[in-house]
Amino acid sequence: MTGIAACSFMLAQVAPHAREAGAILAAQDDPAALSELKLDAVLRQNDRLVQDNIEAALAAGDADLADSFVALARDRNIAVPDDLLARVSDAVKEENSTSHFARRFATGLVTGSADDVASLSGTVVGDLFVIGDVRDVVREGKHLAMGEDTDRLVLGLAAAGLAVTAATYVSIGGAAPVRAGLTLVKDARKVGRLGEGLAAWAGRSAREFVDTPMLQNAVASGSVLRPGQTVSAIKAAFRAEKAGALVRLGKDVTRVAEKTGTRGAMDSLRIAEGPKDVARAARLAEAQGSKTRAIMKLLGRGALLLVGGAFDLALWLFGAVLTLFGLLSSIKATTERLTQAWCDRRRARRLRRAQVAAEAALASAAGPA
């Protein structure tokens, strides 16, 4: 009985962890379900976690992230002070104002750098008119021709962008999502917000779909003052048949941006270690919508897949199985002992009755004699 009690106590302690571990392992291929389970654990540990992150986002001037945390709080029935909600609302209104949009649009158009919807719009417009891509190709191409440090990834993305831009015009906007996605990847690279693993993968891909010698010749004679001639020469160096993976990446980035905004797409590119992570981020964004940025802020890459800890989760399950086996073994052993004791008592009673009967028979036989 002691063994049963001990195993029952251990199972009661292990079972909740094992159940949670099993749910997480079962959801490892579903970013939306996985993030929900991980959020449960994270939010249980700190009641003020959401409120503190809203304050931090406002202090950093990121109204979009603050609003994402508000959406998460609303979905999770987490109370947020009214004055804090008002501050978030005011910040969002300011960020979406016409003057702010115009200023950021101009910044994106001129500098080719995007960190919100307005600046991305300007950047995409610049790239659609090939200004941005020609500028990037000529700049990096000159570095390459002169033997200077060259960002081959930006060079490859700009070359790919020129080819996709041409396809966008031919398809009357059909390739625009890919164009916007590639622009975001290029901008993330420029500002150092492209994950190391994803940057390495994109760099390898760029070497495959860009004919470097031909591109060097194109940029050696190219100029932003002759965009038509320069674009034609650069497009000839682009191997469209080998850019399928890059096109899929551009589409996935755009899917994220459509649901979470430009900054959400940038967040996903920062934590991604490869194109599969970006595809997972797109699935997460489609399921969680405006909450996605808050989720990625809290969980990081763990919002997309199991990052470490799989062995620990498996140990919880293994421990629960062993404890259950121990409990069943204890029940079996106890049952066997009780059954054996019952059988022994019955056997002893039968022996006593037989002995009494034998003694009575002997006494009866001895009496007449």
Side-chain angles (χ1 to χ4, degrees):
M1 296 298 289
T2 303
I4 294 178
C7 288
S8 297
F9 176 77
M10 289 296 297
L11 187 61
Q13 301 300 312
V14 172
H17 297 285
R19 184 168 55 250
E20 182 178 347
I24 291 176
L25 288 173
Q28 60 182 318
D29 294 324
D30 184 350
L34 180 64
S35 63
E36 288 287 347
L37 292 170
K38 289 189 174 182
L39 277 176
D40 290 339
V42 170
L43 295 176
R44 276 199 304 266
Q45 298 172 4
N46 187 350
D47 294 336
R48 286 185 51 86
L49 186 61
V50 171
Q51 184 174 334
D52 290 344
N53 274 278
I54 293 175
E55 294 277 8
L58 289 175
D62 193 343
D64 181 71
L65 179 58
D67 194 45
S68 180
F69 273 105
V70 169
L72 179 62
R74 189 179 301 116
D75 181 70
R76 291 272 172 163
N77 295 319
I78 299 174
V80 178
D82 291 339
D83 62 326
L84 186 56
L85 291 175
R87 288 169 55 198
V88 173
S89 179
D90 292 342
V92 171
K93 288 179 182 178
E94 169 60 26
E95 194 169 85
N96 293 334
S97 65
T98 303
S99 59
H100 183 274
F101 187 93
R103 184 168 61 252
R104 298 302 300 158
F105 180 91
T107 299
L109 179 63
V110 174
T111 66
S113 178
D115 63 359
D116 57 16
V117 175
S119 56
L120 175 64
S121 300
T123 303
V124 171
V125 168
D127 284 350
L128 283 174
F129 284 101
V130 305
I131 299 172
D133 284 331
V134 170
R135 176 191 59 220
D136 292 334
V137 169
V138 171
R139 182 184 64 246
E140 298 300 333
K142 294 292 185 183
H143 292 325
L144 182 63
M146 297 177 66
E148 300 174 350
D149 289 339
T150 305
D151 193 329
R152 292 177 179 270
L153 177 53
V154 170
L155 182 62
L157 288 170
L162 289 172
V164 173
T165 297
T168 300
Y169 284 124
V170 171
S171 62
I172 316 178
V178 179
R179 167 70 275 178
L182 292 179
T183 294
L184 276 171
V185 175
K186 187 175 66 172
D187 289 341
R189 172 65 172 182
K190 288 180 180 179
V191 297
R193 297 182 67 179
L194 193 63
E196 184 177 345
L198 182 59
W201 173 86
R204 291 192 299 270
S205 298
R207 294 186 185 93
E208 294 177 359
F209 63 71
V210 173
D211 187 328
T212 302
M214 186 178 294
L215 185 61
Q216 283 180 298
N217 292 333
V219 298
S221 58
S223 170
V224 292
L225 300 178
R226 300 190 304 275
Q229 179 182 346
T230 303
V231 169
S232 298
I234 293 171
K235 282 167 54 181
F238 178 73
R239 301 166 180 165
E241 69 279 1
K242 295 186 177 182
L246 186 70
V247 169
R248 287 191 294 273
L249 174 65
K251 289 180 178 179
D252 287 334
V253 172
T254 302
R255 286 167 59 198
V256 177
E258 287 174 348
K259 298 297 182 180
T260 68
T262 303
R263 290 180 178 177
M266 287 291 193
D267 290 344
S268 68
L269 290 171
R270 178 177 54 81
I271 65 176
E273 289 297 321
K276 291 183 179 179
D277 285 0
V278 180
R280 284 174 172 268
R283 292 168 58 193
L284 176 66
E286 289 173 346
Q288 300 290 7
S290 61
K291 299 174 292 182
T292 305
R293 286 200 70 198
I295 293 172
M296 289 194 291
K297 176 67 174 179
L298 293 176
L299 303 179
R301 190 165 176 251
L304 307 179
L305 73 168
L306 281 178
V307 181
F311 181 72
D312 294 336
L313 295 174
L315 279 182
W316 279 116
L317 289 175
F318 185 64
V321 170
L322 283 182
T323 305
L324 180 61
F325 179 77
L327 176 61
L328 294 177
S329 297
S330 297
I331 292 174
K332 176 178 178 293
T334 301
T335 302
E336 289 175 346
R337 285 195 297 270
L338 292 174
T339 303
Q340 185 63 47
W342 180 75
C343 291
D344 290 343
R345 286 195 298 271
R346 286 194 62 185
R347 189 179 300 111
R349 284 197 297 270
R350 285 198 302 269
L351 288 174
R352 284 196 299 271
R353 285 197 296 268
Q355 185 177 4
V356 170
E359 290 175 353
L362 288 174
S364 176

